[in-house]
Amino acid sequence: MLEAILAGLGGLVVGFKLLFVNWQNLIMMFVGGGLLYLGIKKDCEPLLLVPIGFGCILVNIPLSDVMLKDGFIRTIYDAGIDTELFPLLIFIGIGAMTDFGPVLAQPYTFLLGAAGQFGIFLTLLLALALGFPKLDAVSIGIIGACDGPTAIYVTSKYAPHLLGAVAVAAYSYMSLVPVIQPPIMKLLTTEKEKKTVMKFTAKPVSKTTKLLFPLVITIVGGCIAPKGLPLLATIMLGNLMKESGVVARLTGAAENEIANVVTLFLGLCIGATMAGPAFIRAETLIILGLGFLAICLDTVCGVLFGKLLYIITGGKINPLIGSAGISAFPMAARVVAKVGMQYNKKNYLLMHAMGANAGGQIGSVIAAAVMLSVLAGMGVIR
Amino acid sequence: MEMDNVTFGVTMLVAGMGGTLVTLGLLSLMMLGLGKLFPYKEEAGKEG
């Protein structure tokens, strides 16, 4: 009987023993703790980093079965990530939350939103040069979209083994935009360019235009890049609901209840893909490095395109707003306004930058949609 | 035939980035057109 009791008690310490045998799991539990610290103490994308951090700890506890067949996170993963449903549901919420008025008031800012996507394709080239397989390189490049749901959508579909690294890179760097962008913006522009004053006259947009906008984007974008239609359609559906003003309950549900529940599940699932042996590899560090580079390249190309517009318009456009052509909304626009004010206290660039930033939001989705359709055109994906 | 990485990368850069620029340029023109077709004042007048 004593033997049976000792064997039973022994079962209680197996986990602790394995904790020190599988050192990768132990390290990843610290990484999970670090993510929780960033989310809770540093207010760094807490809505995602808290469930990601917790999911990461959970999956690395020895003998944890949360990601095994029928495990509770595996069930959520199969239902929402494998099917690409979660990023799409998040997109309905993003569409319902975003006011595209600034980009509709200044449609040229769509082009700044396009320039901010160069990082995706340049990083893809770099990843290929470093020896990553084609679809892995595509998923790494998409970090440059600066758009978490788009990165998750593409990666879960074409390189699910990279999901943890890509998602963590996308969300971490998005929250670091205020740190990453200013030095690049300052380095690439002259004193005179930085001080360029852009006058803003509030140009209201008619309700009809605001209602037609999501429909036009869905139909035209869908015809050009049908492989990305789910991405385009969901963000535009959310926006149509918001602008129509007749489905306030649905809009509210999309931007609150649905977005909140899906964010929680999405975060847990991403965290649960960060199991030590699969995550602690040189490849992960390279992906994190390339992701950082992608966002730097987005900023560089955005500012350079802003400089081109500065020349074309005879100095009427401040090149700094080019850096807002990414999807980190409205953070990137706020960064532009702050940097602009540092050089000219009477220069209010916020509304112009908001236009570029809203353009960047559409730009990232269009870039991903175009990318998928080009891949399908080449026969790389079906 | 398997496509080599250089061809793949350059195609993605040219067709992908080019396609993104052209699509967003087209959408920008369409939004400009929509703004002219349905100006704010005109609509406010109708509503008023």
Side-chain angles (χ1 to χ4, degrees):
Chain A
M1 194 170 92
L2 186 65
E3 255 180 39
I5 292 172
L6 285 175
L9 288 174
L12 297 177
V13 294
V14 173
F16 286 103
K17 279 185 195 163
L18 288 175
L19 197 58
F20 296 101
V21 174
N22 299 330
W23 58 273
Q24 295 108 320
N25 291 113
L26 192 62
I27 289 178
M28 286 312 291
M29 286 171 80
F30 280 109
V31 170
L35 294 174
L36 286 176
Y37 174 80
L38 284 175
I40 296 167
K41 280 284 180 189
K42 298 287 174 189
D43 201 28
C44 192
E45 297 281 342
L47 291 178
L48 270 149
L49 289 194
V50 170
I52 290 178
F54 197 80
C56 176
I57 293 176
L58 212 53
V59 78
N60 283 292
I61 292 174
L63 305 176
S64 164
D65 62 358
V66 292
M67 277 301 268
L68 299 181
K69 191 175 179 289
D70 296 332
F72 100 94
I73 300 184
R74 170 58 68 185
T75 307
I76 301 172
Y77 185 97
D78 290 345
I81 305 271
D82 251 6
T83 56
E84 296 124 35
L85 195 62
F86 285 167
L88 298 178
L89 290 174
I90 293 268
F91 259 149
I92 301 180
I94 291 175
M97 284 179 231
T98 309
D99 177 15
F100 289 106
V103 74
L104 291 174
Q106 314 156 87
Y108 78 89
T109 51
F110 267 111
L111 294 174
L112 290 167
Q117 312 309 320
F118 260 108
I120 298 176
F121 300 95
L122 295 175
T123 309
L124 188 156
L125 280 179
L126 277 172
L128 285 171
L130 288 173
F132 281 94
K134 293 183 181 75
L135 290 178
D136 286 12
V138 166
S139 300
I140 294 167
I142 208 74
I143 300 172
C146 239
D147 182 340
T150 301
I152 293 167
Y153 180 85
V154 173
T155 309
S156 63
K157 204 166 182 171
Y158 301 112
H161 55 287
L162 300 183
L163 185 62
V166 168
V168 167
Y171 280 109
S172 308
Y173 296 143
M174 261 167 69
S175 65
L176 288 175
V177 158
V179 180
I180 297 172
Q181 286 199 316
I184 301 171
M185 293 157 72
K186 289 173 186 174
L187 191 73
L188 292 177
T189 47
T190 63
E191 199 77 6
K192 192 183 166 198
E193 287 169 344
K194 286 184 198 99
K195 287 181 177 168
T196 306
V197 175
M198 289 178 75
K199 290 208 171 67
F200 182 75
T201 41
K203 199 173 139 197
V205 178
S206 71
K207 176 127 181 146
T208 314
T209 306
K210 283 188 172 180
L211 280 172
L212 287 173
F213 165 72
L215 292 171
V216 170
I217 297 271
T218 307
I219 295 168
V220 176
C223 287
I224 295 174
K227 286 299 279 183
L229 186 59
L231 288 170
L232 278 172
T234 44
I235 196 168
M236 288 300 126
L237 169 66
N239 191 248
L240 180 66
M241 294 196 308
K242 169 190 154 71
E243 296 301 344
S244 72
V246 295
V247 284
R249 277 169 51 195
L250 298 185
T251 311
E255 62 183 334
N256 296 303
E257 290 86 355
I258 296 175
N260 289 343
V261 170
V262 175
T263 302
L264 170 63
F265 289 163
L266 193 65
L268 263 180
C269 290
I270 293 167
T273 61
M274 296 163 70
F279 199 80
I280 299 183
R281 286 183 300 175
E283 189 184 57
T284 306
L285 279 179
I286 297 172
I287 293 170
L288 294 177
L290 285 171
F292 179 78
L293 205 62
I295 292 177
C296 292
L297 287 169
D298 282 343
T299 310
V300 168
C301 295
V303 174
L304 291 179
F305 194 74
K307 282 168 84 84
L308 183 68
L309 290 181
Y310 174 84
I311 295 166
I312 292 171
T313 59
K316 284 182 186 159
I317 287 179
N318 189 320
L320 290 177
I321 68 165
S323 69
I326 58 171
S327 185
F329 187 86
M331 206 188 295
R334 287 194 190 132
V335 170
V336 171
K338 200 175 160 193
V339 174
M341 292 276 261
Q342 281 173 8
Y343 290 87
N344 182 351
K345 294 218 180 309
K346 290 180 183 168
N347 200 1
Y348 301 101
L349 295 173
L350 186 65
M351 287 316 288
H352 298 283
M354 285 292 253
N357 210 176
Q361 189 119 45
I362 298 287
S364 67
V365 179
I366 294 278
V370 166
M371 189 188 234
L372 294 180
S373 288
V374 170
L375 285 172
M378 286 192 287
V380 177
I381 59 171
R382 275 185 292 160
Chain B
M1 195 176 68
E2 180 77 5
M3 186 185 292
D4 66 277
N5 277 0
V6 176
T7 312
F8 175 75
V10 173
T11 308
M12 287 305 289
L13 183 67
V14 174
M17 195 58 227
T20 304
L21 267 169
V22 170
T23 306
L24 284 164
L26 184 68
L27 290 172
S28 156
L29 288 175
M30 292 179 94
M31 290 308 129
L32 204 64
L34 276 182
K36 294 225 184 294
L37 266 176
F38 305 103
Y40 182 75
K41 271 185 187 169
E42 205 172 282
E43 193 172 78
K46 270 184 203 167
E47 281 166 8

